[in-house]
Amino acid sequence: MDDAKGLALAIEEAKIGYQEGGVPIGAALIAADGRVLGRGHNMRVQNGNPILHGETSCLQNAGRLPSSAYQGSTMYTTLSPCDMCTGACLLYGVARVVVGENKTFLGGEAYLKQRGVEVVVLDSAECKDLMDKFIAEKPEIWNEDIGVEERVYSKEKH
């Protein structure tokens, strides 16, 4: 699957999350052979679950898989992955992480690269616009989502 199509699946998920009143971050996990293993979106608000970010929701929806399923896989995510989601990608051996945008928030991209994961940032205006709209509407939920009291773009240096 090419990166535009993979990101489009993640964006669909982000829009579903936004329509549900949640944080509009979506993800899709694609196997090396192009099969969709899972899709998901941030469900913290909807389910009252602090660990259901876009990527972890996607992994949960993929279900229990053998470790071989993750070999050569790509995690498409609309926003740079936080420390928890970075760790989940590393734990399961995801080979590539394709990020819609990292201007709103810069997560563990440097650590992913350091650990041998290919990271591609697409600078999607659609992803950025969706986050900007959500943050303007619900800044307190965004701050809660990233664990701060005021807006932060990154705790990491390139």
Side-chain angles (χ1 to χ4, degrees), residues 5-17 23-30 36-42 53-62 74-79 81 85 89 97-100 127:
K5 289 179 182 173
L7 184 62
L9 295 176
I11 291 171
E12 285 177 19
E13 288 292 329
K15 289 177 179 178
I16 292 167
V23 182
I25 302 170
L29 180 64
I30 309 300
V36 177
L37 298 174
R39 296 169 55 149
H41 54 275
N42 187 303
H53 285 196
E55 299 88 340
T56 55
S57 172
C58 175
L59 288 166
Q60 178 176 300
N61 291 337
T74 300
M75 177 69 77
Y76 291 91
T77 179
T78 57
L79 185 66
C85 296
C89 288
V97 176
V98 176
V99 177
C127 291

Side-chain angles (χ1 to χ4, degrees), residues 4 7 35 132 157:
L7 184 62
R35 287 178 299 122
D132 286 345
K157 294 185 169 101

Side-chain angles (χ1 to χ4, degrees), residues 3 33 35 46 50 52 65-66 81 92 100-101 115 117 126 140:
D3 289 344
D33 66 6
R35 287 178 299 122
Q46 300 91 314
L52 276 181
L65 299 170
Y92 290 104
E101 68 104 348
R115 295 285 303 271
V117 176
E126 186 174 12
E140 69 288 346

Side-chain angles (χ1 to χ4, degrees), residues 17-141:
Y18 179 81
Q19 291 165 357
E20 294 172 347
V23 182
I25 302 170
L29 180 64
I30 309 300
D33 66 6
R35 287 178 299 122
V36 177
L37 298 174
R39 296 169 55 149
H41 54 275
N42 187 303
M43 297 287 292
R44 292 184 70 254
V45 172
Q46 300 91 314
N47 287 9
N49 184 327
I51 63 170
L52 276 181
H53 285 196
E55 299 88 340
T56 55
S57 172
C58 175
L59 288 166
Q60 178 176 300
N61 291 337
R64 186 175 170 192
L65 299 170
S67 59
S68 60
Y70 301 99
Q71 292 176 357
S73 67
T74 300
M75 177 69 77
Y76 291 91
T77 179
T78 57
L79 185 66
S80 186
C82 73
D83 291 339
M84 177 177 65
C85 296
T86 293
C89 288
L90 291 171
L91 178 67
Y92 290 104
V94 172
R96 297 177 73 233
V97 176
V98 176
V99 177
E101 68 104 348
N102 64 2
K103 302 291 187 271
T104 300
F105 178 81
L106 177 61
E109 294 174 27
Y111 187 52
L112 287 166
K113 291 175 187 176
Q114 178 185 4
R115 295 285 303 271
V117 176
E118 179 186 356
V119 177
V120 176
V121 180
L122 298 180
D123 288 321
S124 164
E126 186 174 12
C127 291
K128 177 84 170 72
D129 292 346
L130 188 56
M131 287 305 303
D132 286 345
K133 181 179 178 183
F134 174 79
I135 292 168
E137 293 170 355
K138 299 179 180 179
E140 69 288 346
I141 293 177

Side-chain angles (χ1 to χ4, degrees), residues 139-140 142-144 146-155:
E140 69 288 346
W142 168 244
N143 291 340
E144 175 189 322
I146 60 171
V148 298
E149 297 297 321
E150 60 187 52
R151 187 162 183 189
V152 173
Y153 292 92
S154 175
K155 295 178 184 176

